[in-house]
Amino acid sequence: MSTENAQPAMQPALQQAILHAACQLEAGLLVGFPTETVYGLGADAENPAAVASIYAAKGRPSNHPVIVHLAPEADLSYWARDIPQEAHKLIAAFWPGPLTLILKRAHHIPDTVSGGQDSVGLRCPSHPVAQALLREFKGGKGGVAAPSANKFGHVSPTTAQHVIDEFPQETAAGGAIAAVLDGGQSEVGIESTIVDLTRLATHGPVLLRPGDISAVQLEQVLGVPPAAPDAAAPRASGTLDAHYAPNTPVVLIASATLAQTMQQLKAAGRSFALMSHSISDGSAARAHLVLPAEPHGYAHDLYADLRALDAAQADIILVEALPEDRDWQGVNDRLRRAAFDSAGVLGKLLT
Ligand code: TXA
Ligand code: MG
């Protein structure tokens, strides 16, 4: 494998790396690449064997759909059929950018990318390295299927080094991942907002996964608020309850009780790491990071900081809970999933 340590500005070495990566994708191999949300693990969306090897590398069930990434000039009607007006409106407003649309899949697109469902998830990323790769791959006419470049259920990567840390064997020489392109730290930091437009007549637009583009922004373009997913909504693995989790258990604690919880843990001889946005005294913590008290800045830092706190190998990671308003929906969604399996952990540590 080759790891290209280039800067986001397109130096010749990075351009070379992108050309090389596009050839590797065309040959059916896997490539890690940056997007503005998180790093993706890409394969040729029209090559079912290549897509299957993403599932194998991630340890992900093969009935989970992956997002197909397109170049800005791509022909949407090649990938989707019965494209509604709502899709064109959202694309005009938010592409390229952190928005994925679920549309009815064109019949000739293999259903391996949608886990056998009749739909396809499409996104045009704004990251310059992702765009250059997509323009180079199959002359800009291909699609790159890519989930986040992490092991199934684990924290998504926001740097090239995170991808290598997630897949040490696969990114080693002769491993399943042929290259990892380095485009610096992902700007947005959490995965794209996903909107399902396949059941408009009966359900309207459905927000399958909140992200940097908020429900409020979607409503401004669509004229109606997006609905919450129901039981029959298309499956989305980022919407499983347990997801985005580090190895250390994560627990969300209200600001008002954080100081007391830290004292109790200390008295019980337990170690903890702390992620806060308003509390600045974390002197008792084994590791402490203060994130911006604003959703975009918080999202930008979230995954890298969870990884850093995980590395402290404390008994538990305490996260100061955030406001429950719509601006924080994307971040709160990821934090709740990171904390999902941890109910009861705090109680056990204190007894
Ligand atoms: O920001 C992102 O979306 C990143 C970057 C790499 O683009 N990708 C990402 O992929 O988060 P992944 O696989 O970790 O999450 C993709 C989500 C999953 O929840 C998947 O189930 C959903 O998109 N998805 C993709 N295609 C779908 C479809 N046809 N129907 C329903 N959900 C779909
Ligand atoms: Mg993911």
Side-chain angles (χ1 to χ4, degrees):
M1 95 129 208
S2 54
T3 304
E4 320 292 347
N5 275 323
Q7 296 304 308
M10 289 291 172
Q11 294 144 341
L14 180 54
Q15 280 173 5
Q16 269 313 111
I18 291 168
L19 293 184
H20 187 55
C23 291
Q24 286 165 319
L25 286 173
E26 287 170 15
L29 303 175
L30 300 183
V31 168
F33 67 99
T35 84
E36 70 279 17
T37 57
V38 300
Y39 275 64
L41 183 59
D44 179 353
E46 295 175 273
N47 178 339
V51 173
S53 64
I54 305 179
Y55 291 114
K58 279 188 63 111
R60 182 186 201 182
S62 60
N63 66 347
H64 286 191
V66 286
I67 295 170
V68 177
H69 297 71
L70 304 177
E73 303 78 17
D75 174 11
L76 202 63
S77 63
Y78 178 77
W79 298 92
R81 59 188 158 87
D82 307 337
I83 302 168
Q85 265 314 310
E86 285 80 351
H88 295 297
K89 286 188 193 166
L90 290 173
I91 286 169
F94 300 116
W95 277 15
L99 176 71
T100 297
L101 297 179
I102 309 299
L103 298 171
K104 289 184 184 152
R105 181 166 44 83
H107 294 299
H108 64 279
I109 302 300
D111 69 357
T112 25
V113 291
S114 60
Q117 300 180 88
D118 187 31
S119 56
V120 63
L122 299 173
R123 166 163 125 76
C124 174
S126 64
H127 194 294
V129 172
Q131 290 195 351
L133 179 67
L134 291 163
R135 284 180 166 136
E136 201 54 50
F137 172 63
K138 291 184 170 176
K141 298 203 184 319
V144 174
S148 50
N150 52 276
K151 289 272 162 61
F152 183 62
H154 197 223
V155 179
S156 298
T158 52
T159 67
Q161 188 60 48
H162 293 164
V163 179
I164 294 164
D165 293 346
E166 282 287 319
F167 296 102
Q169 270 141 32
E170 296 85 346
T171 53
I177 301 176
V180 179
L181 293 171
D182 191 341
Q185 183 162 8
S186 295
E187 197 53 43
V188 172
I190 58 173
E191 302 80 354
S192 59
T193 303
I194 304 181
V195 178
D196 174 27
L197 298 176
T198 60
R199 301 178 305 152
L200 279 173
T202 48
H203 295 73
V206 177
L207 180 59
L208 292 185
R209 181 172 72 183
D212 185 68
I213 293 172
S214 68
V216 178
Q217 286 173 283
L218 295 171
E219 180 176 351
Q220 279 164 358
V221 172
L222 293 168
V224 291
D230 59 301
R235 292 185 307 274
S237 70
T239 62
L240 291 179
D241 287 335
H243 218 77
Y244 312 115
N247 296 317
T248 316
V250 172
V251 181
L252 302 178
I253 309 279
S255 309
T257 53
L258 200 49
Q260 187 196 354
T261 304
M262 290 194 283
Q263 268 171 14
Q264 288 171 334
L265 282 166
K266 206 175 165 193
R270 303 298 188 176
S271 62
F272 58 92
L274 173 63
M275 187 152 160
S276 69
H277 58 277
S278 79
I279 306 273
S280 55
D281 179 15
S283 48
R286 182 176 285 184
H288 177 206
L289 293 171
V290 183
L291 280 75
E294 169 278 312
H296 299 289
Y298 196 104
H300 175 269
D301 294 355
L302 174 63
Y303 289 147
D305 287 0
L306 272 179
R307 281 173 188 272
L309 294 177
D310 200 16
Q313 299 192 317
D315 293 322
I316 192 165
I317 299 173
L318 303 179
V319 176
E320 180 184 3
L322 291 156
E324 279 298 334
D325 58 56
R326 292 217 280 180
D327 286 346
W328 286 98
Q329 199 182 0
V331 165
N332 276 329
D333 170 80
R334 305 311 189 277
L335 283 176
R336 263 194 294 278
R337 294 179 205 285
F340 179 73
D341 279 334
S342 310
V345 170
L346 184 61
K348 279 196 202 109
L349 289 174
L350 293 177
T351 52

